[in-house]
Amino acid sequence: MTGSPRPAIRLGYYRDREHSDTTRRGREPFVEVDWDEALDIAAGALRSTRERAGNRAIYGGSYGWASAGRFHHTQGQIHRFLRMFGGYTASVDTYSFAAAEVTIPHVLGMNAYYAARQSPTTEELARHCARIVFFGGAAARNAQVNPGSFGAHGYRDLAGLRLTDAVRPAVVHMATGAWYDPLDPDDPESLDVHGNPNTVTLDIGTSSLAQGPSVNSCLVEIERYAGDPPPLRIHRPPELISTGEVGAHPA
């Protein structure tokens, strides 16, 4: 670990562990600790979860694309580790492509990735396609709204907007890839300056089966933002404090 950055733990969790106030996430500094203490805290969290709710309560996530070789594959390593710990709850497919992975083989009789490689160009679709069905989204844009409804509907996020006739009247199409970045984290009604539409409604599952976010179909309003755009802070690192400064911060 020589030369590696020090691990950091959210202040509330460092103080209170699983009893910490989770609503403070994103609003608290992080406490820098040494690797031995960080590993002890992680091990304690795993043991506590297993004792309270069993191994099924441990989610083996760490899903991601990056890998510096198979041995260093993050997801493979965490899964192997948790299996040695007694098991865990895993996921299937990917959160980016899961609907197509499950559905396309039944619709087209082929793997979804293979089907994607056979897909026509946007120019071919424009010339020959009368109806197209998307699973999830396919927009390389922040938002679209039919110009016939502009000025009548909208949303509380600060995001780019493009008028187009490609969307039916009174409909707004919003991509959902932006990180949450409220202007005032202590105000639940604060403007999200990074344009994340998940702030429009509570992220409640659409049903007990689908569990899709309800924000994918909701009533919104649009209005022009008149002021100067606030700075984006989402990529700034959090405030870091030492263990000696923990007592100086209010709980």
Side-chain angles (χ1 to χ4, degrees):
M1 295 295 182
T2 302
S4 298
R6 299 182 68 192
I9 300 169
R10 182 171 60 86
L11 176 62
Y13 189 85
Y14 184 77
R15 282 173 168 158
D16 304 318
R17 299 301 192 265
E18 65 267 23
H19 304 295
S20 68
D21 181 3
T22 57
T23 64
R24 298 294 301 168
R25 289 174 176 170
R27 291 181 281 174
E28 291 183 310
F30 282 70
V31 183
E32 286 191 305
V33 298
D34 58 41
W35 282 101
D36 286 340
E37 185 176 8
L39 291 173
D40 287 343
I41 291 173
L46 286 171
R47 284 194 298 266
S48 175
T49 301
R50 183 171 64 178
E51 291 168 1
R52 287 183 289 111
N55 284 80
R56 293 182 62 183
I58 300 172
Y59 174 61
S62 192
Y63 166 71
W65 298 103
S67 173
R70 187 68 225 178
F71 177 79
H72 299 288
H73 184 246
T74 308
Q75 191 180 56
Q77 291 283 24
I78 195 68
H79 287 185
R80 182 183 181 190
F81 169 73
L82 291 176
R83 279 194 291 268
M84 296 177 67
F85 187 66
Y88 60 98
T89 295
S91 60
V92 295
D93 301 320
T94 69
Y95 58 68
S96 301
F97 213 44
E101 288 177 284
V102 174
T103 307
I104 290 298
H106 297 279
V107 176
L108 301 179
M110 65 178 70
N111 177 279
Y113 292 94
Y114 179 77
R117 291 195 295 270
Q118 307 298 312
S119 60
T121 66
T122 53
E123 290 80 7
E124 290 170 330
L125 288 173
R127 286 197 304 269
H128 306 294
C129 183
R131 177 175 296 175
I132 185 168
V133 178
F134 288 118
F135 297 95
R141 53 192 178 273
N142 288 330
Q144 284 193 342
V145 58
N146 185 284
S149 305
F150 187 69
H153 302 286
Y155 52 90
R156 286 189 296 109
D157 293 329
L158 183 62
L161 189 71
R162 185 161 70 94
L163 304 181
T164 177
D165 289 321
V167 179
R168 64 183 296 180
V171 171
V172 179
H173 186 117
M174 301 177 67
T176 58
W179 292 101
Y180 177 53
D181 186 20
L183 189 62
D184 181 2
D186 292 314
D187 180 5
E189 300 298 323
S190 176
L191 176 73
D192 176 41
V193 301
H194 214 192
N196 187 334
N198 291 326
T199 60
V200 176
T201 66
L202 293 176
D203 195 9
I204 302 173
T206 51
S207 75
S208 59
L209 295 177
Q211 285 298 301
S214 56
V215 72
N216 281 347
S217 56
C218 61
L219 180 66
V220 295
E221 293 183 356
I222 292 176
E223 65 181 30
R224 183 185 296 273
Y225 186 79
D228 295 328
L232 292 178
R233 302 160 300 179
I234 195 64
H235 299 297
R236 297 180 185 177
E239 177 190 357
L240 296 174
I241 63 175
S242 67
T243 54
E245 299 176 273
V246 170
H249 287 260

